[in-house]
Amino acid sequence: MNAPHEVLPPLRSSDTSRGPRTNAPEGSSSQAELLDRYAHSLIPVFGTPQLVLERGDGAWVWDTDGKRYLDLVGGIAVNALGHNHPALVAAVSKQVAEMAHISNFYTSRAQIELAERVLEIAGAPAGSGVFFANSGAEAVEGAIKLSRRTGRTGLVAAEGAFHGRTTGALALTSKAAYRDPFAPLIPDVTHVPYNDNEALRAAVTTETAAVVLEPVQGEAGAIVADPAYLRAARELTTAAGALLVIDEVQTGIGRTGDWFGFQESGIVPDAITLAKGLGGGLPVGALVTFGPDVTGLLTAGQHGSTFSGNPLVAAAGLSVLSTIEAEGLLDHVVQMGEHLVGAVAALGHPDIEGVRGRGLLRAVVLRSELSSGIASAAREAGFLVNPVAPDAIRLVPPLVVTREELDLFVAALPSLIATAKEPTP
Ligand SMILES: *Cc1c(COP(=O)(O)O)cnc(C)c1O
């Protein structure tokens, strides 16, 4: 077992020192057998999983055949502290041994402390509040219900937006392939081009309940909002009496190098939604309302969830926040993000356009549609990356990823691109 931050080069598939590889003949691989059982027991909404993973440590994971990978997906921006971080393991182990769940007829010290800490790092004024959800989509559902309490129904979201898969959140998500099989969704949703102040101005009216925007569109390939766009959204919503909801499910909890993506723009939103990084791998989300007027829109009995902020996930969230602070991870994220941009630029590779995004929410942008070929070659070579768009590879590694680990991937990129360009037999 490696120490959490120890750096070793990824194993090649030709390295036989750790038992069978994924490219072993069928039958000798536990991967193939387990994936066959998966196919016979799970609803196939995720397609065929790429790997069966068994354990992790820092930014590394191992599959059931013992092959090791540098994890630059990080559970899709979830494993903020990496895998198996001792602080998270200790906090969750202690809490589960004391009490995992109690229902919201009761509360716990952990729940109260996590709410207080979230309000503090969000810079939320007095009278702000937190509702804990169990996922990003549920946090967004909370925001939609909050918006209905304005007495209006209009919602404005951006083209390219991803806000989740429950039916309300799906209405805000823009991708037709996700939406169309479930139409009709909730009405009165308008999608406007992202980063287009004039389009937003035209869409926001006195019938708008809320404008919902991501500070960086992660699922669209790490497309960054201009801070001036978020400020324009703030001005337009204030003038129209509408709420401004910032979806920080992917950008929140240090991912951009600030605690929250909106903070760079200097605005005060009416609400933010959180999930992914908050629990470091345990399922916890949150709707945060800013100030007493917005918080007061939801009153006793109007919303709820059985699991909401139970002691187990609250203990996880507290350990994530205190570890980000104790390890200085916000600065580290900024440095690692800049390092990645510089290292990829230094390759001067003709197939690479550049690196987009903020902090450690990044995409390597390609000059042609090579991303899925690169992701396959990467997996074979021991790197997990996400081909988020045909021409973009998303990198959302654990916030603890090191310079040396990022360099391993950057050094491998030219050969991964070469493999992706080989004609398929
Ligand atoms: C992932 C994501 C969601 C949905 O979160 P789930 O936990 O998958 O429901 C919502 N908004 C944004 C911005 C996301 O990245």
Side-chain angles (χ1 to χ4, degrees), residues 76 134-138 140 162-166 169 173 214 216 218-219 247-251 273 275-276 394:
I76 316 184
N134 311 297
S135 67
E138 281 181 53
V140 172
F162 184 82
H163 297 293
R165 306 288 206 124
T166 56
T173 293
E214 296 160 271
V216 182
E219 302 302 305
D247 184 347
E248 296 268 2
V249 168
Q250 191 155 163
T251 47
T273 50
K276 293 193 167 88
R394 178 170 48 172

Side-chain angles (χ1 to χ4, degrees), residues 161-230:
F162 184 82
H163 297 293
R165 306 288 206 124
T166 56
T167 54
L170 190 55
L172 295 173
T173 293
S174 81
K175 197 171 176 176
Y178 295 168
R179 302 165 52 93
D180 292 352
F182 305 99
L185 298 167
I186 60 165
D188 303 341
V189 180
T190 309
H191 285 95
V192 293
Y194 193 54
N195 266 331
D196 181 336
N197 294 13
E198 286 318 307
L200 194 61
R201 186 181 309 278
V204 177
T205 70
T206 50
E207 278 159 34
T208 305
V211 171
V212 184
L213 293 171
E214 296 160 271
V216 182
Q217 289 187 329
E219 302 302 305
I223 299 174
V224 179
D226 188 330
Y229 179 60
L230 296 184

